[in-house]
Amino acid sequence: MKITTIILAAGKGTRMCSDQPKVLHKIANKPLLRHVYDLSSQLTDNSVHIVIGHGAELVKQALNLPEVNWIEQLQQLGTGHAVQQASGFIADEDMVLILYGDVPLLKLATLNRLLANVSQQSIALLTVNLENSTGYGRIVRNDSGEVIKIVEEKDATDAEKNILEVNTGIMAVPGDKLKRWLDQLDNDNAQNEYYLTDIIEMAVAEGISVVTNQPETVDEVLGVNNRMQLAQLERIYQQQQAEQLMARGVTLRDPLRFDLRGSLDSLGQDIEIDINVILEGNNSIGNNVKIGPNTHIKNSLIGDNVEILGLCIIEDAQIGQGSRIGPYARLRPETVLAANVHIGNFVEIKKSAIAEETKINHLSYIGDASIGSKVNIGAGTITCNYDGANKFRTIIEDGAFIGSDTQLIAPVTVGKNATIGAGSTITRDTPADQLTLSRVKQVSVSSWQRPTKQEKS
Ligand code: UD1
Ligand code: CA
């Protein structure tokens, strides 16, 4: 069965009070519409058509999906009108699946169940029972329990308003019949809209059966209309991800205070994550990794047995096994740490490779540097990599010892096992194995007297 998925995404989303089209608002850093597209792209033998209207260009650009057929609905005259715009792309023998671009938490299993229940001689509707069905289209059944129509809130009688089973909007309809019914839609209703839901009555009149399926939880079919709902769906999504991670052997000290905004390309065992950790983009985390509270990690590769203490910010970095980072460390892009490196508090590292067992424990800036193994960088060391116009590299060879408060004016090389005296400003390459220091001679003034406070007149 070839599937033609049509995602409706032309609506404005007035209640978001935003310059951005609604479907570009994000859950876990991913546009709502992208969640729906990613789901649909998991269906087999499927082509995806997206109906856009408000902010059409912005939506197309933001999603950047060349494999999608983008269809513009110039005026938003209703869900039926939206699907009509895609009519020309529907083949008779296709099964058409309708999805909404602002309903992001739907599950593949639910769609597959819906599709397994539909045939060329039926329609499958995804419905849900709500405690309060206000605002939704109600599923009207006859005495034998068969669906006979969907009635919208504004067109419903008081009796119909009491129905708690509602239309989620998600449905599967055979292509040939859908196209024929779309041609027959009118806007003779309370909202003067072309309702897609009117096809149900047409189907029933032709003796086509309407089968219904329900999702596992209501969460799957919740839509986003305002920022409160956006926040609610974010929390639901994060809770689901947290549960998946715990099922894979991750300890989350508090699943309610954890955010995964992206993917974990690989995930070891016995990882412990403290509260308020944000994992963003694509990260890989090895075995026995501990991540302290309030840490943000983006697009990074973290080896086995790494310990990251609290309050670190790590982006586009690689951290070798057994390394210890933080607290209060910032690893900026292109930081590559080998095994057993120690990076301590208030240390910033950028575009630098640091070999095994090197320690940079306090208050340092290391940028554009290559640092060998077993190097000790004292507190307050700064690689002066920038002259205001260009950047230059600092090379520190294996076993070097850099005294505290040293400035290394790049380009400069510190030789193997060299020692730099504390407080030095190093402007030229320093030889291996020797002590190099640049320091003003210390003087003491024996006649010195401290000033005393003057009497006010
Ligand atoms: C629709 C259904 C209703 C259902 C509800 C579920 C109809 C007539 N009503 O109502 O039965 O209970 O969804 O949330 O189908 N859209 C377009 N172009 C348009 C109109 C809408 O692309 O011209 C898109 C919207 O962007 C949105 C989706 O279709 O993604 C649903 O539109 P919306 O206006 O929210 O439909 P409701 O009136 O809530
Ligand atoms: Ca809606």
Side-chain angles (χ1 to χ4, degrees), residues 136-187:
Y136 290 90
R138 312 295 206 283
I139 306 292
V140 184
R141 294 177 185 267
N142 63 17
D143 292 341
S144 336
E146 295 157 342
V147 175
I148 53 170
K149 64 173 177 175
I150 298 175
V151 60
E152 293 304 302
E153 167 92 20
K154 291 191 174 129
D155 303 289
T157 63
D158 286 344
E160 286 167 340
K161 282 186 184 147
N162 289 331
I163 298 172
L164 298 180
E165 187 186 8
V166 305
N167 173 33
T168 64
I170 288 134
M171 59 177 91
V173 190
D176 54 344
K177 299 187 178 60
L178 175 63
K179 283 189 290 184
R180 192 154 45 73
W181 295 327
L182 286 173
D183 286 342
Q184 297 168 33
L185 290 179
D186 62 40
N187 63 353

Side-chain angles (χ1 to χ4, degrees), residues 206-248:
E206 289 182 24
I208 303 286
S209 63
V210 179
V211 295
T212 56
N213 274 87
Q214 297 223 327
E216 213 133 288
T217 66
V218 173
D219 297 343
E220 282 188 57
V221 295
L222 295 178
V224 174
N225 295 301
N226 57 44
R227 307 227 186 204
M228 266 84 74
Q229 290 169 336
L230 187 69
Q232 279 163 6
L233 265 58
E234 175 83 35
R235 282 343 299 164
I236 294 169
Y237 186 72
Q238 291 301 344
Q239 180 72 21
Q240 290 172 354
Q241 294 193 122
E243 282 167 15
Q244 284 164 14
L245 289 187
M246 290 187 287
R248 286 166 72 182

